Amino acid sequence: MKKSLFVTIIISTLVGCSAPEVHDATTSNELPTIFPDYKYVTVPATIAPLNFSVGNADAIDITIDSNNGQSMRLRSRSNTTNFDIDEWHKLLAANIGSDIKVTVNGRKNGQWTTYKPFSITISKDSIDYGLTYRLIAPGYEVYGRMGIYERDLSNFDQKTIFESTQSVGICINCHTANRANPSQSSMHFRGPNGATIIRKDGKMTAYNMKSAPDSLGCVYTYWHPDGRYIAYSQNNTLQSFHMKGDERIEVFDTSSDISIFDTETDSLIRPSCLHTTDYETFPAFSPDGKTLYYCTSQPHPVPQEYKDIKYNLCRVSFDAATGTIGNDVDTLINARAEGKSIAWPRPSYDGRFIVYTLIDYGQFSIWHREADLYVYDTQTGTSRPLTAANSDNTEAFHNWSSNSRWLVFTSRRLDGLYTRAYITHIDEEGNASKPFLLPQDDPSVFYCRLMMSYNTPDFCTHPTDYNAKLAEQKLYGDRIVAK
């Protein structure tokens, strides 16, 4: 059991006397002010301890009760919890499908206050082993240091998959796995030794995806479920900066197409319906592999008419046996007709839902304050906001857990500057729970000091075991030219 000098954690019975005792407490009908706000969230049983700080208290006494009689108590001469990880997991495992009740006593200026208790729901639905994500400077205009990292969701361990400091002048693009399986992944590196490195069947291969005259390299990525094909968008992207107002950065495409890479023949399939004068981007295969979803917009001159670029959600058929795309394009959601734009469609792996980001214009939602998550029901053909997960600031870049019951996404709701990773539970009807911030050992200190943004998070079913040294060697070695 992990202990600090001033913290004693027990199950059922209080021991020790070094921590402050609650006496003459005033009862409040208000909920405590805590950071992160974990009040009434739904979590998986294997999640790391939800440590939090209590307002401006100088001492705390926390009791967690459960329906099965098991309890947990923590006392500290600071305002921050440090729950024992083993006892935390025991408590959650014993209450799967039920709630635990958290009662907070906080002391300020010698006066104790007992706040209204709040509950945390322990879901019956399991969650994957961990997350992968990119950490990057929030402005996106420089990439002196960035990296792809992996986080074990059951504790606070983070490990490096690949950092830009391993290779001079390298910008690391999204690390994309096949349905949260890190054994099949694609990672794009930009710079003097740029390449697309695909990891599959225990083999790591570097590709030059810019072989064709019209090829712009690979940007947004999505694997076909059978692992043979990978859909890539090929975007010519520009960036500009706003001179006034709340907006900061605008990123837009001057052209974009979608190609399908065949990992068995090392060739890029360029369907005519996905290589038009319109912009095609954000490809995503359906779970059965028979459909390719994507976003498309009519072109407009930029930056003069950048607010007129609005993307619809479309789909075309795909035949994995022949590697061919159908010619009939079906518009699922005509966001342009509503004066809106769609970005980052992600189908649930059970095939029921597609979650996407809705913004006023364009496709780079990460700097749009109005960006919200929406869910499209493939059974009913209807779409609605994922209300419980949204805030009054940016929500973007989301991905599903392998069992389609959890969604990870990024949000700027804390300070409007940095994107942080949040997780929400999605029930069978596509309803979201109140999202919870990715837990940290000391969240107040961690998030105050972290000067990087979370970017394109995704779940992983097991540790990635990525050979970064071999990847670096591939960047300086020969690569296969995509046909």
Side-chain angles (χ1 to χ4, degrees), residues 356-370:
Y356 60 91
T357 304
L358 191 70
I359 50 181
D360 287 346
Y361 59 87
Q363 50 83 21
F364 199 73
S365 58
I366 198 67
W367 277 111
H368 283 238
R369 286 179 57 89
E370 80 280 2

Side-chain angles (χ1 to χ4, degrees), residues 257-275:
D257 298 308
I258 294 174
S259 296
I260 312 295
F261 183 67
D262 188 336
T263 63
E264 293 186 4
T265 63
D266 296 333
S267 59
L268 280 167
I269 303 166
R270 300 175 175 86
S272 59
C273 66
L274 301 179
H275 280 247

Side-chain angles (χ1 to χ4, degrees), residues 204-215:
M204 187 179 287
T205 308
Y207 289 93
N208 173 14
M209 294 291 190
K210 297 184 177 181
S211 57
D214 63 340
S215 178

Side-chain angles (χ1 to χ4, degrees), residues 33 49 112 116 125 148 159 231 246 259 293 366 381 401:
T33 299
W112 283 97
K116 181 181 178 181
D125 295 317
I148 307 293
K159 75 174 186 179
D246 294 333
S259 296
Y293 301 105
I366 198 67
S401 63

Side-chain angles (χ1 to χ4, degrees), residues 220 237 251-253 281-282 311 341-343 359 361-365:
Y220 302 115
T237 301
V251 178
F252 41 78
D253 292 337
T281 191
F282 297 130
Y311 288 80
S341 186
I342 290 176
I359 50 181
Y361 59 87
Q363 50 83 21
F364 199 73
S365 58

Side-chain angles (χ1 to χ4, degrees), residues 7-20:
V7 179
T8 302
I9 304 170
I10 65 165
I11 298 299
S12 298
T13 305
L14 177 63
V15 297
C17 57
S18 62

Side-chain angles (χ1 to χ4, degrees), residues 447-464:
Y447 287 112
C448 179
R449 294 179 178 177
L450 181 65
M451 300 292 105
M452 307 286 277
S453 280
Y454 285 81
N455 184 242
T456 58
D458 197 3
F459 289 95
C460 53
T461 56
H462 57 273
T464 57

